[in-house]
Amino acid sequence: MLLFLSVLAICVRLYAAQECSSPTFSFTSHLNTELLDLTTLPHVVIASFPVEHVRSATVQTQDSYIESRLSGTELQFVTTEAFALYEEREIQQVIIIQVFYECTTGLKAGIYRQFLKLANNHAPRFLQEAYEALVPLPLPKNFDLSPYLANGAGIMARDIDLENNTVTFSVSANDYMLIESHAVPDDPKQFKAILRLKEQVLKMPNKLELTVTAVDAGIPQKTSEVSVTIEPDLSIVYDDPPEFKETFINRTIEKDLLLQLELIPGTETSDVQYSVEGTDATFFTVSVWSNNTGIDLKVNNLDTLPNAKAFLNVVVVARRSQLQKTSCVVLLNIPSESLPEPPKTTVEKVLSVLHLEEMSTHQDIFPLVIDSCTYSIQSQTPGEYFFIQDSSLASKAFNREDADLFTGLDFPQFWIVLKLLCPVRSTLEAESYNHHTIDAGPMKDIEYATDLTHLNIIVDDINDNSPVFDFPTNNERFAFPSASLAQKLLPDQLLTVVASDLDEGINAVIRYSLTKNDHFDIHPQTGVIFPLNSVFAHEESVSIEIFASDRDGAEDGNISTMKLHVHKVTEAQLVALTVSNMDPDTFESTLQEISVKANIQMGTIRSVHSVDGEASNPNSRSTVSARYTTTAIVYAFQEDRLLRQDELQRVFESADTNLTVKVSKINELYGGSVTIIDSDTTVIYPYIIVAAFFGTLAMAMAAAAFYYRAKARQPNVSDDTSAYPSRSSDVSDAIIVDNVHNISASTPPSEDYKISGGIITESDDNLRPLSELLTIKEDAEHDDKTAPTPPTQQERKKSIKFNENVERIEVLEP
């Protein structure tokens, strides 16, 4: 029996001695933290490790950016020719390859990860060297010239850097064009510049030459320029719209009164048509001049006018088309001995736009006395905040953030109508012929009258509100792994703080900060709390104080604070959930439902939502008919205590929901009995089976049988070991999905981060663990913004034109 055991031990030692080994390299899963410069030339050794019992090392992926090779007793990783195109093709900040090793005794498969050194290596590059456009005129305000540039594609630029590649465009100073910057939804590295008209353009110079500049968001910033030439299409002839020399005529009616309305020279054409509109049009006769440059307007018969009528009011229209027309308002007063004389005093302003600060009382807003006449408040909306004090308009304090007060308005504002009262006032007032909305505030029409003044009071904001934390709540608890465990789980962040401010402009711009600590820091603009290298190196928990300051952190800003408690979580307090056929929103709401029912606070360290489906375009990485597979690493608090794995597993097993979930331990993700082709971790199969035989006569036969059995069971990786095994899909061509940070009862919404992503498997029955989903993310995060469209005619601003002859206001639509 002793002889048998000795032979067995010798066989085990000899067999194990022939396996691939290295003192500094992990064949199963190796992470090279030394950053690789993206400007490294091809065929450069980027990493080297001493190894033993390795015959060859091969990367099966075609067009791989890194390859492996064996140089003597050193395993080397070398850049390939394709590495120079990495920034052009990819968006990930880590390169992951699968390597197959031929050992002395068999084959091994493992994952090699190489992090990249990020820098602003490239300036934005325009897709054309120059742009030219031939445009028809006239064109409306805000018109997008993209359909006339680059065969309809517009001005495009690419920045292939892996980070800070957002491109902002600017255009040289000019009188016609402004520029907008937009991301291209299907390509995260491509951006579009949209040239729009500042105002309606009827005519342009023969040629307009502009320079468009593209600036990226890198440090330092890099820029590029392109010339844009815009020419009017001279084959299109445009005639100026007709325009009357006089736009308002106010006369006293008399016998044989003849009004002559003439068009301004240069605006008359033979196709202009004239019409008289209004309820009093039946009392007038129109005669068009022989050269069609004007008309004669005459009252039919004074004797036919109603006795009670005090005036005649019509509008004369000269129209070339529906868009090219002009008008003249005719007001004829009918004198009567029973009517007093009209007042000589009229309002000084028909419209006045004022700005008042909120939360303060105001005096002397507007003078209410003109000569012997006095204003009264005819109406005010919304509310009743304005009153007369010491011959001027005053107001009580009002709150700009009062949602009930300013509901339904485009912005906080008041509209006040003042009526001028004189000792002798005429009951003769002009009818309202103006039915347009003014720029100051689309609240109501302006009635024309010699005794009405409209005040538009725009409420200006003061910094009277402090930031309010929307997420998380004060003294809430979260969990985060130590640095060593985080290297396995690769969590994106702790959480994203969300705060809001009711104020406007710079008063509502929030900057975040944390009390100085060795564990976490926060992004000042986005509120993302991310771990430091020393996170939980010694402590088991930490309390951090978060500050939110408005006015972008200025000294005079308001500051709000809150505290969070973060506990170090271990593998013994985490479980891995794998769920099929459930979209991310349903998965999130289900976890929240379980948390409430179990009276616990549940959170996630990391979650990956992968999508399985057929792409509608073979050249596109986006998918349709999606089927989701979700893998999440979950922890839970009960009051201030982290639950153990078995407790958390019982919570899911007893949950009364439609959730069909596979619950695993974290170590099963990295070391379970799975085929080494499909996993990051290599599992050593038992090559020798010890069988106990009784009797000294059978000892020699048992030893011989064991020897031949061990020799026959050489290590294999899969059923076809005749060639190097290959994955079901190439890593570079695999369908990669966005990582959506799972939201639980204590986890806020978070942005996608470039390092996250996952490879989608082809089968629902063989779900891959989270460790295998932590691969390259190739799908771009799509922006939901759609390209802006030119405004409708109703959305165009109107201009206000005053006539110097009389007290009136005209609203002209461009």
Side-chain angles (χ1 to χ4, degrees):
M1 189 64 170
L2 293 176
L3 177 61
F4 168 73
L5 295 177
S6 299
V7 172
L8 177 62
I10 293 172
C11 291
V12 171
R13 287 196 298 270
L14 290 175
Y15 192 83
Q18 303 303 311
E19 219 179 295
C20 296
S21 62
S22 172
T24 59
F25 182 77
S26 172
F27 291 91
T28 301
S29 178
H30 190 87
L31 174 64
N32 187 5
T33 57
E34 184 175 351
L35 301 180
L36 173 58
D37 196 324
L38 287 164
T39 61
T40 304
L41 298 175
H43 311 298
V44 174
V45 177
I46 59 175
S48 180
F49 307 94
V51 296
E52 294 181 354
H53 308 299
V54 180
R55 293 181 179 178
S56 65
T58 308
V59 177
Q60 294 285 307
T61 305
Q62 296 180 355
D63 296 329
S64 177
Y65 303 107
I66 298 175
E67 64 180 6
S68 62
R69 68 186 182 190
L70 197 64
S71 177
T73 60
E74 286 193 350
L75 174 62
Q76 296 178 345
F77 290 89
V78 185
T79 55
T80 66
E81 292 287 346
F83 183 74
L85 301 175
Y86 185 85
E87 289 178 287
E88 182 71 34
R89 297 175 177 175
E90 309 293 344
I91 62 174
Q92 298 302 314
Q93 300 174 7
V94 58
I95 298 177
I96 303 178
I97 60 174
Q98 187 175 29
V99 187
F100 298 94
Y101 307 96
E102 183 181 2
C103 306
T104 303
T105 58
L107 300 178
K108 242 184 202 301
I111 298 296
Y112 177 81
R113 293 180 175 87
Q114 175 65 58
F115 280 93
L116 301 173
K117 181 180 180 181
L118 303 179
N120 194 23
N121 298 321
H122 306 277
R125 183 181 74 252
F126 287 96
L127 301 192
Q128 288 190 187
E129 294 183 357
Y131 292 88
E132 296 181 353
L134 184 65
V135 299
L137 293 179
L139 290 176
K141 182 180 179 180
N142 291 323
F143 185 81
D144 179 7
L145 294 185
S146 297
Y148 300 99
L149 294 163
N151 296 323
I155 302 174
M156 309 284 280
R158 280 178 60 82
D159 190 338
I160 63 175
D161 291 313
L162 297 184
E163 69 171 5
N164 297 330
N165 62 346
T166 301
V167 176
T168 303
F169 298 94
S170 61
V171 64
S172 54
N174 67 95
D175 296 330
Y176 296 92
M177 301 293 172
L178 53 84
I179 197 166
E180 299 175 357
S181 304
H182 295 274
V184 177
D186 295 333
D187 190 344
K189 298 187 178 183
Q190 191 157 307
F191 301 85
K192 183 174 183 179
I194 294 182
L195 285 175
R196 293 190 183 275
L197 295 178
K198 293 180 180 178
E199 299 292 341
Q200 182 184 25
V201 175
L202 304 179
K203 294 183 179 180
M204 282 179 56
N206 290 337
K207 183 181 291 187
L208 178 63
E209 295 183 349
L210 304 172
T211 299
V212 175
T213 304
V215 183
D216 64 17
I219 302 176
Q221 292 181 326
K222 292 190 176 183
T223 63
S224 58
E225 295 181 346
V226 70
S227 64
V228 179
T229 303
I230 300 172
E231 293 186 68
D233 190 348
L234 300 180
S235 63
I236 301 176
V237 179
Y238 173 76
D239 294 322
D240 290 328
E243 186 174 354
F244 283 113
K245 288 183 178 180
E246 292 183 89
T247 58
F248 183 78
I249 297 177
N250 188 3
R251 303 278 182 86
T252 299
I253 198 168
E254 58 186 23
K255 187 177 181 180
D256 298 328
L257 175 64
L258 179 67
L259 302 177
Q260 294 185 321
L261 283 72
E262 183 181 3
L263 297 177
I264 295 176
T267 69
E268 77 281 6
T269 54
S270 59
D271 58 344
V272 173
Q273 297 180 350
Y274 300 91
S275 62
V276 179
E277 300 176 358
T279 57
D280 296 337
T282 56
F283 298 108
F284 290 87
T285 301
V286 177
S287 300
V288 181
W289 298 354
S290 59
N291 57 4
N292 206 44
T293 61
I295 64 170
D296 291 336
L297 188 65
K298 185 178 180 180
V299 178
N300 294 331
N301 189 350
L302 294 180
D303 297 334
T304 61
L305 297 179
N307 295 329
K309 201 163 185 65
F311 57 86
L312 297 179
N313 181 208
V314 293
V315 178
V316 180
V317 178
R319 180 184 291 105
R320 179 180 294 115
S321 65
Q322 188 63 28
L323 295 178
Q324 292 185 327
K325 63 180 179 180
T326 187
S327 62
C328 175
V329 176
V330 177
L331 179 64
L332 299 182
N333 297 312
I334 303 175
S336 175
E337 296 180 357
S338 61
L339 296 177
E341 290 292 329
K344 296 182 180 179
T345 304
T346 59
V347 298
E348 294 181 346
K349 291 184 179 180
V350 175
L351 170 68
S352 182
V353 180
L354 306 174
H355 289 258
L356 297 179
E357 283 190 348
E358 63 171 337
M359 306 306 293
S360 299
T361 59
H362 300 275
Q363 289 80 34
D364 301 325
I365 299 174
F366 192 85
L368 300 181
V369 176
I370 300 178
D371 297 333
S372 60
C373 300
T374 305
Y375 276 113
S376 65
I377 299 177
Q378 179 170 295
S379 65
Q380 59 174 299
T381 182
E384 298 288 338
Y385 285 83
F386 295 85
F387 55 91
I388 299 174
Q389 184 181 61
D390 299 330
S391 300
S392 65
L393 188 66
S395 77
K396 300 181 292 184
F398 38 80
N399 185 0
R400 181 189 171 278
E401 288 76 37
D402 188 345
D404 294 333
L405 177 61
F406 299 110
T407 182
L409 303 182
D410 292 343
F411 51 88
Q413 59 178 317
F414 295 93
W415 194 281
I416 306 170
V417 180
L418 302 177
K419 189 175 184 65
L420 190 63
L421 304 175
C422 299
V424 178
R425 63 180 295 270
S426 172
T427 59
L428 178 62
E429 293 182 354
E431 289 183 355
S432 172
Y433 57 84
N434 184 350
H435 303 289
H436 299 296
T437 303
I438 64 170
D439 286 344
M443 293 181 63
K444 58 171 65 179
D445 294 339
I446 302 176
E447 283 189 14
Y448 168 75
T450 58
D451 59 351
L452 294 181
T453 292
H454 293 253
L455 297 183
N456 183 213
I457 308 294
I458 298 175
V459 182
D460 290 340
D461 181 59
I462 64 172
N463 192 23
D464 58 330
N465 291 280
S466 298
V468 176
F469 286 96
D470 301 320
F471 181 88
T473 57
N474 192 31
N475 289 318
E476 196 165 353
R477 297 184 183 275
F478 295 88
F480 197 84
S482 63
S484 58
L485 181 56
Q487 290 181 356
K488 280 186 177 183
L489 305 181
L490 298 177
D492 299 319
Q493 61 186 46
L494 175 63
L495 57 93
T496 299
V497 177
V498 180
S500 58
D501 194 308
L502 293 177
D503 292 320
E504 183 185 49
I506 188 63
N507 293 334
V509 177
I510 296 176
R511 179 174 288 267
Y512 301 93
S513 61
L514 289 180
T515 51
K516 187 174 181 181
N517 65 93
D518 297 331
H519 304 273
F520 299 94
D521 204 348
I522 191 169
H523 191 283
Q525 280 81 34
T526 64
V528 174
I529 298 180
F530 53 87
L532 303 176
N533 291 335
S534 57
V535 58
F536 290 138
H538 304 290
E539 291 84 355
E540 295 296 319
S541 64
V542 62
S543 294
I544 56 177
E545 189 171 9
I546 305 172
F547 302 89
S549 176
D550 59 17
R551 295 188 59 79
D552 200 17
E555 292 183 358
D556 58 343
N558 299 322
I559 301 175
S560 298
T561 64
M562 69 176 300
K563 283 188 177 181
L564 296 181
H565 306 285
V566 186
H567 298 252
K568 181 171 72 173
V569 66
T570 64
E571 290 188 21
Q573 296 161 328
L574 298 172
V575 297
L577 307 181
T578 304
V579 182
S580 299
N581 301 328
M582 181 173 288
D583 61 86
D585 293 336
T586 305
F587 179 79
E588 167 197 337
S589 61
T590 304
L591 287 186
Q592 292 178 351
E593 179 183 349
I594 295 174
S595 299
V596 173
K597 290 183 177 180
N599 194 26
I600 61 175
Q601 176 192 339
M602 194 178 302
T604 58
I605 296 296
R606 182 73 187 273
S607 62
V608 174
H609 303 282
S610 59
V611 182
D612 186 11
E614 295 181 1
S616 58
N617 185 347
N619 297 324
S620 171
R621 298 183 187 275
S622 62
T623 61
V624 296
S625 302
R627 183 172 65 240
Y628 287 90
T629 298
T630 300
T631 302
I633 298 177
V634 180
Y635 66 86
F637 282 99
Q638 192 165 47
E639 296 181 352
D640 59 349
R641 180 182 68 87
L642 280 164
L643 299 183
R644 300 188 308 275
Q645 281 180 348
D646 54 346
E647 294 176 312
L648 192 52
Q649 185 168 359
R650 286 196 296 270
V651 169
F652 287 103
E653 291 174 349
S654 60
D656 185 16
T657 66
N658 295 327
L659 183 66
T660 302
V661 61
K662 176 184 177 183
V663 183
S664 308
K665 296 181 180 180
I666 298 301
N667 54 11
E668 293 178 4
L669 294 177
Y670 296 89
S673 298
V674 294
T675 308
I676 50 180
I677 295 177
D678 295 329
S679 176
D680 284 346
T681 57
T682 302
V683 180
I684 302 178
Y685 281 87
Y687 295 101
I688 301 172
I689 301 178
V690 180
F693 299 92
F694 297 94
T696 55
L697 294 179
M699 184 178 300
M701 295 178 63
F706 173 78
Y707 170 76
Y708 286 109
R709 181 178 180 84
K711 185 174 182 181
R713 294 196 53 168
Q714 294 295 321
N716 50 44
V717 184
S718 63
D719 291 339
D720 60 359
T721 56
S722 58
Y724 291 113
S726 62
R727 297 181 72 98
S728 61
S729 60
D730 188 62
V731 173
S732 62
D733 294 330
I735 302 174
I736 306 300
V737 299
D738 290 338
N739 168 43
V740 180
H741 192 73
N742 185 56
I743 305 173
S744 70
S746 60
T747 308
S750 64
E751 300 176 355
D752 296 342
Y753 285 82
K754 295 183 177 181
I755 194 171
S756 58
I759 302 177
I760 302 174
T761 60
E762 298 293 338
S763 171
D764 288 354
D765 299 330
N766 185 19
L767 298 176
R768 295 190 179 183
L770 179 64
S771 57
E772 201 171 343
L773 293 174
L774 302 179
T775 56
I776 308 172
K777 170 186 171 186
E778 295 181 358
D779 271 352
E781 180 177 353
H782 297 293
D783 191 348
D784 292 335
K785 295 181 179 178
T786 57
T789 58
T792 63
Q793 184 176 357
Q794 290 78 7
E795 294 172 331
R796 300 174 185 164
K797 289 186 178 179
K798 301 178 178 63
S799 60
I800 300 175
K801 180 177 179 181
F802 290 89
N803 186 292
E804 65 279 2
N805 297 327
V806 296
E807 313 79 41
R808 75 178 188 286
I809 178 171
E810 295 177 28
V811 181
L812 304 179
E813 181 173 342

